Structure formats: C-alpha cells, structure tokens
Amino acid sequence: MSSIFSMEGKCVIVTGGAGNLLTPTISQMLMLGAKVAVADILEPRYDQMPDEFADNLFYKKCDAYNTSQIKGFVDFAIQKMGKINVLVNGATFGAGYGAHATPDIMTDEEWERGLAGSVGVVFKFTRECLPSLKQNGGSIVNFSSMYGHVSPDYKMYGESGYNNPCNYGAGKAGVSQFTRYCAGNYGRFGIRVNDVTPGPFPAEDHVKANPDFGKELAKRTMLGRYGDHPEIAGAVIYLASDASTFTTGSNLVVDGGWTAW
Ligand SMILES: NC(=O)c1ccc[n+]([C@@H]2O[C@H](COP(=O)([O-])OP(=O)(O)OC[C@H]3O[C@@H](n4cnc5c(N)ncnc54)[C@H](O)[C@@H]3O)[C@@H](O)[C@H]2O)c1
C-alpha cells in the first residue's frame, strides 16, 4: 500500500523551479517518487536535489511568458516523462519594484510587465499544458500571494526597496480567480486546479541586508517568525498528490497567520 502523499506516477512540470520556494518542493517531490521537468530561465539548484533521484529531474531553459518556448518545453517534458499530470505554476517576474511602486507613478510598460509576470505566465503555461492534462486528468497548482489577498502596509516597507508594486498584487489576485475559473471548466476532465498563497518567505540576502525588515515581517505573523523556504512544500505536495482528490477551486494559505489577524 502506498501513502496518499506518494508522487509515484506523477509527471510534474514546475515553472520557476530554480527559485527559493520551488527548489525544496521539487526535492521532496523527487523523494516521493515524482518525475519533474523544470521550466525556468535559470538551471535548477542541482546541489540541493537528492542524488539518488537525479535521473527523474529534467531541465530545459524556458521563458514562461514566451508561447513558442512553452510549446517546445511541453514537448520536451512529454518526451522525457511520457506524459504530464501535474503542473505547478511558480515562475514570477515583475516591474515597478521599489519604494514608490504605486499607481500614481507606474508606467504602462511596468504595469503590463507586472501582470505578465504574475498572472500572464500562469495563463500561458496552463493553456499549453491543457491538451495533455485533458488526456490524463491531473492537478494544477498555482502560486498566488498574500498580497493578492491583502494589501501591503506601506508603513512597514519604508525605504527598504522591497515594496510589492500594485501590479504584483493585482496579478496575484487574478491568479486566484483564474484558478477558480479553470477549476470550474476542467473538473469534468478530471483536472483539479488550486492555488497556494505563500506569506512572508523572504530571500536570505534580503533579510541579511536589512535585518530590521526581517524583524518587521516576523512580527506580523501569528507565529512570530517568517517562513523557511521548505515550509511551502507540504502544501504543494498535498494539492499535487492523491491526498487532495476531492479538493478543487481552493486556495491553501501558508502565511504563518498573516492574513488571519
Ligand atoms: N517568497 C515569498 O515570500 C513569496 C510570497 C508570496 C508569493 N510568492 C510566490 O511564490 C512563487 C515562488 O517565489 P520564490 O520566492 O521562490 O521566488 P524566486 O524569485 O526565488 O523564484 C522565481 C523563479 O522564477 C524564475 N523566473 C523569472 N522569470 C522567469 C521567466 N520569464 N520564465 C521562467 N522562469 C522565470 C526565476 O529564475 C526564479 O527561479 C512566486 O510565484 C512568488 O510570486 C512568494
């Protein structure tokens, strides 16, 4: 008998798989038996992957907003893994970051790039994977953000330079709605669609460069600390695996309580 969290037989595409949150998630998926194809502009962090499952990890450079590259990547993933039955949409990029990321000064180009890098990448990768997912059934896990659900408090960010621009939160709110829309349309094909909403999981170099900012983030969660990157893995694996076969159209919040005060 295998665990309901087993990833045996799961052929997973992970966009943004070279990043902070998806690296430990992929490592756990491999240990649970998955095959994983990483779509990122950067190589996966091979040094953080379990050696014994190296043959189940595949990489091809892919810009998650470039339709022809996505099509090429999906073909590559099917060729390497045989099929796709899980898509994890984690890639993100943006524009307008900084101390003045507000609508009064944001340009058209910044606005559009931010939407492309938050919700646009999710739309495009989902569209290109749907033909394969419709054949096999499966699970899509999208990455939203607490800032797609609540607003950043400008008083906290000050001049740190880490302010989320308004296009990021608008796009991430869009990810949650796109998730519900897809869940409603593709459930009849055996495709479940959910999102995870991470709270504060700052990059190590941001916190090191600005310890006061790290303390401020920690203070605002109910647990009094910010998240460690591996703490997102359980939520993604729950939604990707057969542990969640009756869960669709939902949003799993992993934020130490930030949005629940
Ligand atoms: N870290 C947090 O605190 C936090 C909070 C809320 C939501 N999130 C969301 O979680 C997800 C993962 O975040 P993270 O902290 O690991 O970010 P990260 O910056 O470490 O990783 C993002 C990855 O996306 C890749 N990427 C950028 N542009 C790309 C493109 N055009 N095509 C393909 N890949 C591209 C990067 O190379 C990187 O590997 C993101 O969607 C992010 O918005 C993170």
Side-chain angles (χ1 to χ4, degrees), residues 14-24 38-45 61-66 69 89-94 97 113 117-118 121-122 125 142-148 164 168 172 175 196-203 217 227 229 232 254:
V14 180
T15 78
N20 292 326
L21 294 187
L22 275 313
T23 293
V38 171
D40 200 304
I41 50 175
L42 300 177
E43 289 207 357
R45 299 181 200 172
K61 189 173 180 178
C62 177
D63 176 344
Y65 198 62
N66 180 312
Q69 287 189 30
N89 278 312
T92 191
F93 59 84
Y97 282 83
R113 185 165 164 75
S118 50
V121 286
V122 174
F125 240 100
N142 296 326
F143 270 73
S144 181
S145 165
M146 64 180 184
Y147 286 150
N164 284 121
Y168 176 81
K172 289 295 190 180
V175 169
V196 287
T197 288
F201 287 88
L217 281 180
H229 299 147
I232 202 74
V254 187

Side-chain angles (χ1 to χ4, degrees), residues 182 201 251 261:
C182 290
F201 287 88
N251 171 43
W261 283 116

Side-chain angles (χ1 to χ4, degrees), residues 31-224:
M31 287 193 275
L32 288 164
K35 291 181 181 172
V36 180
V38 171
D40 200 304
I41 50 175
L42 300 177
E43 289 207 357
R45 299 181 200 172
Y46 292 111
D47 59 330
Q48 295 177 37
M49 297 297 157
D51 283 343
E52 61 273 43
F53 302 106
D55 289 350
N56 288 338
L57 179 62
F58 308 98
Y59 171 67
K60 180 176 160 70
K61 189 173 180 178
C62 177
D63 176 344
Y65 198 62
N66 180 312
T67 299
S68 70
Q69 287 189 30
I70 298 169
K71 286 181 190 293
F73 184 88
V74 170
D75 289 345
F76 163 82
I78 293 172
Q79 184 209 328
K80 292 291 181 191
M81 303 191 294
K83 63 181 176 185
I84 301 162
N85 52 15
V86 178
L87 168 64
V88 178
N89 278 312
T92 191
F93 59 84
Y97 282 83
H100 303 286
T102 50
D104 49 329
I105 49 99
M106 184 170 280
T107 64
D108 289 355
E109 291 72 23
E110 285 167 337
W111 172 255
E112 283 160 18
R113 185 165 164 75
L115 288 190
S118 50
V119 67
V121 286
V122 174
F123 157 63
K124 288 195 177 187
F125 240 100
T126 300
R127 180 183 62 194
E128 299 309 325
C129 287
L130 274 169
S132 182
L133 288 168
K134 276 178 168 177
Q135 283 172 20
N136 308 309
S139 170
I140 301 176
V141 185
N142 296 326
F143 270 73
S144 181
S145 165
M146 64 180 184
Y147 286 150
H149 297 262
V150 296
S151 181
D153 179 351
Y154 72 92
K155 297 190 290 298
M156 192 188 98
Y157 284 90
E159 298 301 315
S160 71
Y162 305 140
N163 304 45
N164 284 121
C166 58
N167 50 6
Y168 176 81
K172 289 295 190 180
V175 169
S176 291
Q177 179 53 26
F178 182 73
T179 296
R180 289 185 283 268
Y181 188 99
C182 290
N185 269 271
Y186 301 113
R188 65 199 141 120
F189 298 98
I191 302 171
R192 299 182 296 105
V193 191
N194 296 285
D195 59 356
V196 287
T197 288
F201 287 88
E204 230 169 273
D205 51 337
H206 284 184
V207 186
K208 268 194 195 141
N210 198 336
D212 286 344
F213 174 67
K215 280 186 204 145
E216 194 58 36
L217 281 180
K219 236 167 53 186
R220 290 183 183 233
T221 73
M222 292 176 177
L223 296 177

